[in-house]
Every structure is written in structure tokens, then in C-alpha cells.
Amino acid sequence: MAYIVPSDISQLALSGGHSMELDTLADLKKSLPADYTVFHGVHWARDYAGGTSFGEIDFVVVNRSGEMLFIEQKNGPLEERNGSLVKVYSGSPKNVGEQIHRSINKVRDKFRWRHDRSVPFEVSYLIYCPDYRVVNVNAVGLDGDRVVDGSTRDELTSRIEKLLGPGNPNDEAHRK
């Protein structure tokens, strides 16, 4: 069973957490082995001279080597338009691929700013849209191995394990 942070899912539900994400979190806890830690609702901020960028990553899965997989979960209807997978919020379209890559890039930039560039920062991603079937993954500019949709939702755990692996806590490249 995976270790979950925060560990008390019931408290998240009581505080108004997104129920679909909490269902996913419960599934990950139950289905992933103890080689993984799953962080839910990870907020990040990155300061620049011109201001501060903010964001949130739905799930960060970490293996025993410290390698990470960011998961962006999109519930409900999505659209495939202009070469992108899009979620519409209050009439405003948001590109799902750009959203996950923005988070990766901002977190990576902050890590490199705070640490020596020789320290490895391994991060991968997965887009999880359990209510939507992506019709043409190539047309929306995403790697099919990094998308779990409504037709493959039962493969979420196996896809995480395939992309991330259990890791090795004795791996020299990740003990710094």
C-alpha cells in the first residue's frame, strides 16, 4: 500500500476536497505498492523579478529513488481543438498539456535556482482524464503513454508503475 500525504483522506473530504480526486487518491493508496509515496494537492510558487507564478499539481508520486511523476487529473468533459486537449472553465479554455508542462518547468526552475545544477531533478508526467476518451492523442500533441483516459482508467496504477518504476533507495545518483 502506498504512503499518502496528507495521510488522512477523510479530513480532506470533510474540508471540501474534490471528491473525484479523493477517489483517485484512495485508489492509488490501495493499488500502488509501498515503493511509492503519493502527495495530493501540491502547491508551488516561483518568484521572478516581474512577479510570482503560482500553481498546483494534483498528485506527485515519488518512488524509493526520489524520482517523481506529476499527475494532472481532469474530470468531466474535455475538448480536442487546435491541436490541444482543452478543459473549459467558465468559458475560458485551458490547455491541459501546457498546464502540466508549466508546473514541471516552474518546479524545475525553482529547484535549479535553489540547488547546484549538478543535482539531478528527474520528473515525468501523466495526464489522467477518467471521464473523457481522447479520440486522437496524436492530434492533441500528447504522448499516448502519458495519457490515461476514460477507456484506460483501470490502467492508472500500472501506467504509473511502468513510467516511474519502484526505484532503488541505494541508487547513488539520487542520494544527495
Side-chain angles (χ1 to χ4, degrees):
M1 184 181 315
Y3 183 71
I4 303 296
V5 179
S7 60
D8 189 352
I9 297 172
S10 64
Q11 290 297 326
L12 293 173
L14 291 173
S15 68
H18 299 155
S19 65
M20 298 287 289
E21 286 183 18
L22 295 178
D23 291 345
T24 301
L25 187 61
D27 288 343
L28 294 175
K29 179 179 182 178
K30 176 180 65 175
S31 302
L32 283 173
D35 299 319
Y36 300 93
T37 299
V38 181
F39 296 86
H40 175 253
V42 177
H43 293 265
W44 57 263
R46 176 68 172 107
D47 291 329
Y48 290 100
T52 302
S53 296
F54 298 93
E56 185 252 353
I57 304 162
D58 295 325
F59 303 98
V60 175
V61 182
V62 182
N63 69 10
R64 293 180 302 165
S65 296
E67 296 162 316
M68 293 174 281
L69 177 74
F70 290 3
I71 301 175
E72 183 63 35
Q73 180 170 333
K74 293 298 180 199
N75 299 309
L78 299 170
E79 298 177 13
E80 297 176 39
R81 59 161 106 151
N82 302 325
S84 300
L85 184 62
V86 173
K87 177 74 176 177
V88 179
Y89 298 98
S90 303
S92 178
K94 301 287 184 187
N95 182 312
V96 177
E98 285 179 2
Q99 185 178 7
I100 190 69
H101 287 295
R102 176 178 175 260
S103 288
I104 290 170
N105 290 335
K106 297 293 185 180
V107 172
R108 181 183 292 127
D109 288 350
K110 186 167 186 172
F111 182 87
R112 287 184 177 155
W113 178 73
R114 295 216 167 257
H115 301 283
D116 183 330
R117 288 187 175 267
S118 67
V119 176
F121 183 83
E122 304 276 334
V123 66
S124 189
Y125 75 92
L126 184 71
I127 295 171
Y128 181 47
C129 39
D131 306 321
Y132 180 80
R133 183 181 173 274
V134 178
V135 176
N136 191 344
V137 72
N138 293 327
V140 296
L142 297 170
D143 180 346
D145 288 340
R146 304 206 176 270
V147 176
V148 176
D149 66 7
S151 67
T152 57
R153 67 186 294 167
D154 59 337
E155 299 174 14
L156 177 62
T157 302
S158 63
R159 193 76 62 87
I160 291 168
E161 291 180 272
K162 178 182 176 190
L163 289 170
L164 193 56
N168 179 350
N170 298 317
D171 185 356
E172 283 294 324
H174 297 92
R175 289 189 306 145
K176 296 218 180 220

